[in-house]
Amino acid sequence: GFITMDGGVVLDRRLTAMAVRDGMIIALGTGQSIRSMAGGAPVVDLEGGVVMPGLIDCHNHFLRTALGRNRLQLEDARSIDQLLELIGAHAKDVPPGEWLLCSSRWHETTLQERRMPTAAELDRATPDNPVYLPRGGHVVVTNSLGLRLAGVAPDSPDPPGGEFLRDRAGRLTGMLLESPAFSRLMRLLPLPTETERRVAIRDGMRAYNRAGITAIREPGLTDAEVLSYQSVIPEEKSIRASLMWR
């Protein structure tokens, strides 16, 4: 059946086939009528699956998400210890002194402790690598080495619009709130190459399509990042992207 969104979200089981030509839907109907219209076009049997319009995400940091797919994934962790084990195991493959980069696709509410890890805990997992552990787009956690490299000391004043989180004793926890605080770390991270951006966009499109997303609005891009999109999208048309400059 088909969810057409015509007159509401209605699953119309009377519709059993769709004809597509040059990327455009030209007809919906019954299997026999559409098959005759399609002529010699390839036929895809969806085996009873439901067909619905693609989803449009009107605020989606697609490129950041796509690039993050190649970083350490932490969404399966269910406790601080499990999160630290994942980080410690990954650190074995990262040369000492290089940044250990984590994906932002995780959330502390899925952890047993329902909190962020601390710099001291991250130190135990990887003392020789600075850690960049973002959660979403507004919070980053790092270890003691990361704090030192970023020039964040116990007596550092909070930047306007940001915060270096401290515990009740005034010690830095490693959590940096909002970009004025964690931008000090971001300036130290290795920048993705043009090739890495293009590959990430292509792979990200396929991942989004599997989740039913076919269009996005991407806020906050640099000129180079916009050019990366423009070099890929004419070839890969599975995502319609509205791009906004930073």
Side-chain angles (χ1 to χ4, degrees), residues 203-243:
D203 292 345
M205 285 180 172
R206 298 184 185 99
Y208 272 46
N209 289 161
R210 287 194 294 270
I213 300 174
T214 56
I216 58 163
R217 180 185 293 134
E218 163 80 277
L221 297 170
T222 66
D223 289 352
E225 291 168 340
V226 170
L227 290 174
S228 297
Y229 268 99
Q230 291 175 331
S231 68
V232 171
I233 285 186
E235 307 168 7
E236 303 277 350
K237 298 181 180 180
S238 63
I239 288 282
R240 183 186 300 273
S242 299
L243 309 180

Side-chain angles (χ1 to χ4, degrees), residues 27-141:
L28 291 169
T30 64
Q32 188 55 43
S33 64
I34 298 300
R35 190 180 297 270
S36 61
M37 178 182 296
V43 176
V44 178
D45 185 351
L46 298 179
E47 301 177 351
V50 174
V51 178
M52 61 180 289
L55 302 174
I56 301 172
D57 194 325
C58 63
H59 185 115
N60 191 296
H61 293 282
F62 173 88
L63 181 55
R64 182 189 304 169
T65 303
L67 288 167
R69 287 168 53 82
N70 292 321
R71 295 180 175 183
L72 175 60
Q73 306 299 310
L74 299 169
E75 65 268 24
D76 291 336
R78 290 298 175 264
S79 69
I80 295 290
D81 283 345
Q82 288 183 5
L83 185 141
L84 296 176
E85 287 174 8
L86 290 170
I87 291 175
H90 185 67
K92 296 176 181 178
D93 298 324
V94 181
E98 290 192 9
W99 282 91
L100 192 154
L101 304 176
C102 303
S103 168
S104 63
R105 297 192 312 135
W106 69 284
H107 203 281
E108 71 274 12
T109 57
T110 66
L111 304 180
Q112 177 183 339
E113 297 85 354
R114 300 180 69 82
R115 65 169 175 84
M116 297 286 191
T118 66
E121 289 169 334
L122 293 174
D123 290 344
R124 294 203 303 269
T126 173
D128 300 322
N129 297 94
V131 176
Y132 184 77
L133 174 55
R135 193 271 282 147
H138 300 270
V139 182
V140 170
V141 186

Side-chain angles (χ1 to χ4, degrees), residues 138-203:
H138 300 270
V139 182
V140 170
V141 186
T142 190
N143 57 355
S144 297
L145 180 54
L147 289 172
R148 286 201 304 273
L149 292 174
V152 180
D155 59 350
S156 296
D158 291 335
E163 182 180 358
F164 305 132
L165 206 69
R166 295 169 168 84
D167 61 20
R168 293 181 178 179
R171 295 170 299 208
L172 292 168
T173 67
M175 190 189 310
L176 313 176
L177 303 181
E178 300 298 344
S179 60
F182 58 71
S183 61
R184 293 192 182 190
L185 264 70
M186 293 185 66
R187 290 196 295 265
L188 304 175
L189 303 182
L191 294 175
T193 66
E194 171 66 12
T195 297
E196 287 171 338
R197 283 198 298 265
R198 292 185 185 187
V199 170
I201 291 172
R202 289 190 178 95
D203 292 345

